[in-house]
């Protein structure tokens, strides 16, 4: 950008540039360290450079430090957003900080893609508020590259972009530092999605594993994110977990009763996904992008907590032999006389039914073994998590008594004479 260096409302306090800041910030694959050149204290962290006409010290590569009266309520740093417009000293009064979810470049006249807007917001959020000259200059170069994509101000190929990072007082590796910021933001910028992987159903007292992750717009899992968990319903309570180096956090939930577990997860203090800027009354002056900002994401899942189920074990024996009887057919009916299970006994005279909700049932013998009577129906109770034994005994069908033979007396007939 071009500024009038004879009048600056945004002077920061002297920082003693002969003693360079020692703070180093890790960015991408490199470290933004302190430069060997003297920065331009006049405007803020960064470097005084010629403008696009070659006028010495007429432009600035970096941030405006400690904003003054034009930036109401700003405690950090701000960056010029419009390389073709006049500096902020020409802006008049600046308005309040406003959030922008869309942005149009005044250099290209094109709307910035939602991906590049989020990437610019990421860089401003994580690295914009700094006193480090190299970091501020790298942020400035990255912002122009995202917001003025395809123009002369955008790296890696823009003519003016390459000039700005190539002046003698600018560190030789600044272009690679800016490229590191751009690569990192492309991978990790939002909008963010909080994913919760939990069982769909549990039983009272059953412990269920829950895994959580926060993914960027590119699908990358984000490490080091604190996630707040709040459970209501069948499992109440709250806690906090943090994603590990692989971007995954773990937790567990144990419901105490039947019903539904409502699990809410929230991740705050994520990098910003929208731009925050202040607009001048003079539309021919720079809009100023404000450093910092955060975003958040949340999600909710429901876990069904089913009642514990029990079962029945039918033990079928013969009254005469006291041995198990195979192939005997049974039905189990609920309290509404609806058949809920059918089956027959095995070679040991056993038929077992599982997964019956607690309640009262009727065991009905459908078909008895040959020569045996049907057993009388039995009402039985099923309780949570238990299998109830049901003894059923069949009695032989009584055989009719055989008639006893009656003696036959043949009377003696009288003899007849000749």
């Amino acid at each position: 950008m071009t500024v009038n260096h004879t009048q600056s409302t945004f002077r920061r306090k002297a920082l003693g540039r002969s003693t360079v800041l020692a703070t180093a910030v890790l960015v991408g694959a490199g470290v933004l360290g302190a430069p060997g050149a003297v920065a331009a204290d006049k405007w803020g962290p960064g470097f005084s450079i010629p403008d696009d006409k070659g006028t010495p010290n007429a432009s600035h590569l970096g941030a405006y430090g400690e904003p003054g009266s034009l930036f109401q309520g700003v405690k950090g740093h701000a960056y010029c957003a419009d390389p073709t417009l006049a500096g902020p000293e020409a802006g008049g009064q600046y308005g309040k900080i406003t959030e922008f979810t869309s942005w149009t470049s005044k250099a290209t006249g094109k709307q910035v893609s939602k991906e590049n807007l989020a990437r610019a917001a990421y860089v401003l959020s994580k690295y914009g508020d700094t006193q480090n000259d190299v970091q501020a200059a790298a942020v400035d170069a990255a912002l122009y590259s995202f917001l003025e994509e395809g123009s002369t101000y955008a790296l890696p190929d823009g003519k003016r972009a390459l000039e700005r990072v190539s002046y003698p007082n600018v560190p030789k590796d600044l272009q690679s530092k800016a490229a590191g910021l751009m690569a990192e933001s492309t991978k990790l910028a939002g909008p963010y999605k909080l994913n919760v992987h939990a069982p769909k159903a549990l039983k009272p007292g059953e412990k269920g594993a829950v895994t959580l992750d926060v993914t960027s717009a590119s699908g990358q899992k984000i490490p080091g994110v604190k996630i707040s968990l709040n459970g209501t319903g069948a499992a109440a309570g709250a806690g906090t977990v943090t994603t590990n180096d692989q971007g995954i956090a773990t937790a567990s939930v144990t419901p105490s009763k039947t019903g539904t577990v409502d699990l809410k997860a929230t991740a705050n203090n994520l990098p910003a996904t929208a731009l925050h800027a202040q607009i001048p009354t003079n539309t021919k002056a720079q809009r100023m992008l404000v450093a910092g900002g955060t975003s958040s994401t949340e999600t909710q899942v429901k876990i069904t907590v089913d009642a514990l189920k029990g079962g029945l074990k039918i033990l079928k024996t013969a009254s005469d032999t006291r041995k198990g009887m195979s192939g005997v057919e049974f039905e189990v009916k609920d309290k509404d006389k609806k058949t809920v299970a059918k089956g027959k006994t095995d070679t040991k005279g056993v038929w077992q039914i599982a997964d019956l909700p607690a309640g009262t049932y009727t065991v009905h013998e459908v078909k008895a073994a040959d020569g045996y009577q049907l057993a009388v129906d039995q009402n039985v109770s099923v309780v949570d998590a238990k299998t109830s034994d049901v003894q059923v005994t069949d009695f032989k069908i009584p055989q009719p008594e055989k008639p006893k033979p009656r003696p036959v007396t043949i009377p003696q007939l009288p003899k007849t004479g000749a």
Side-chain angles (χ1 to χ4, degrees):
M1 74 169 195
T2 302
V3 297
N4 183 345
H5 60 278
T6 60
Q7 47 177 315
S8 176
T9 317
F10 307 98
R11 300 179 186 273
R12 62 174 171 162
K13 297 176 182 177
L15 296 177
R17 286 301 175 186
S18 57
T19 303
V20 185
L21 293 175
T23 302
V25 181
L26 180 64
V27 178
V31 174
L32 294 182
V38 176
D41 286 356
K42 185 176 296 182
W43 297 308
F47 303 94
S48 177
I49 60 174
D51 62 15
D52 55 1
K53 298 180 177 59
T55 307
N57 300 322
S59 188
H60 181 62
L61 177 61
Y64 272 75
E66 298 191 13
S69 60
L70 295 186
F71 300 105
Q72 300 296 324
V74 179
K75 297 180 180 179
H77 295 80
Y79 292 78
C80 292
D82 305 304
T84 61
L85 301 184
E89 72 283 345
Q93 189 67 28
Y94 275 77
K96 65 179 181 179
I97 300 173
T98 304
E99 181 178 282
F100 291 87
T101 56
S102 63
W103 189 265
T104 299
S105 165
K106 292 191 176 181
T108 65
K110 297 179 181 179
Q111 188 170 26
V112 176
S113 70
K114 63 180 182 179
E115 293 83 6
N116 276 349
L117 185 147
R119 292 162 186 168
Y122 176 94
V123 172
L124 278 165
S125 175
K126 287 205 70 176
Y127 301 109
D129 198 6
T130 179
Q131 296 286 5
N132 184 285
D133 296 324
V134 177
Q135 184 168 322
V139 169
D140 189 357
L143 291 176
Y144 275 7
S145 299
F146 286 133
L147 302 181
E148 319 297 341
E149 185 179 32
S151 77
T152 187
Y153 301 97
L155 293 171
D157 303 319
K159 179 181 177 182
R160 178 57 182 159
L162 293 173
E163 287 177 350
R164 296 178 80 227
V165 298
S166 301
Y167 289 110
N169 64 319
V170 175
K172 295 185 180 302
D173 60 351
L174 183 59
Q175 183 177 351
S176 66
K177 302 299 184 186
L181 288 177
M182 294 170 65
E184 179 181 322
S185 61
T186 298
K187 183 178 180 181
L188 300 180
Y192 299 97
K193 182 180 179 183
L194 177 50
N195 307 289
V196 178
H197 310 278
K200 292 184 178 180
L202 290 171
K203 293 179 173 59
E206 181 183 6
K207 185 177 181 180
V210 179
T211 60
L212 309 96
D213 60 77
V214 176
T215 52
S216 66
S218 70
Q220 179 71 32
K221 291 182 175 68
I222 312 297
V225 178
K226 288 186 177 180
I227 302 173
S228 299
L229 288 173
N230 186 40
T232 57
T240 301
V241 293
T242 302
T243 57
N244 60 18
D245 291 343
Q246 287 73 47
I248 298 173
T250 58
S252 65
V253 58
T254 305
S256 59
K257 57 185 178 180
T258 60
T260 302
V261 175
D262 296 300
L263 191 62
K264 180 180 178 181
T266 305
N268 295 313
N269 299 316
L270 294 165
T273 57
L275 295 177
H276 295 84
Q278 292 186 269
I279 309 302
T281 53
N282 178 10
T283 58
K284 294 183 179 180
Q286 298 269 353
R287 295 171 293 179
M288 300 301 291
L289 298 168
V290 179
T294 61
S295 68
S296 63
T297 181
E298 68 177 36
T299 191
Q300 298 186 43
V301 297
K302 289 183 179 293
I303 303 172
T304 301
V305 185
D306 296 322
L308 293 170
K309 294 183 178 181
L312 294 173
K313 185 178 181 181
I314 312 298
L315 305 168
K316 182 66 176 176
T317 57
S319 62
D320 54 341
T321 65
R322 299 187 181 279
K323 292 182 179 180
M325 303 178 72
S326 64
V328 180
E329 296 181 13
F330 285 93
E331 287 181 349
V332 175
K333 299 182 179 183
D334 63 15
K335 61 182 179 62
D336 298 319
K337 307 302 181 184
K338 180 182 177 181
T339 299
V340 296
K342 292 181 179 182
K344 57 185 177 180
T345 56
D346 60 18
T347 56
K348 295 182 179 180
V350 176
W351 176 49
Q352 195 157 340
I353 314 102
D355 292 329
L356 290 175
T360 300
Y361 295 86
T362 300
V363 176
H364 171 70
E365 187 172 327
V366 177
K367 182 179 179 181
D370 291 342
Y372 288 84
Q373 301 179 76
L374 289 172
V376 177
D377 288 353
Q378 292 189 49
N379 291 329
V380 296
S381 295
V382 172
V383 296
D384 290 348
K386 292 184 179 180
T387 298
S388 301
D389 289 346
V390 182
Q391 299 283 348
V392 181
T393 303
D394 276 4
F395 292 85
K396 289 186 71 69
I397 298 173
Q399 297 296 320
E401 291 185 11
K402 294 180 180 180
K404 294 180 180 180
R406 290 180 297 171
V408 177
T409 302
I410 301 175
Q412 187 175 1
L413 297 174
K415 295 182 179 180
T416 57

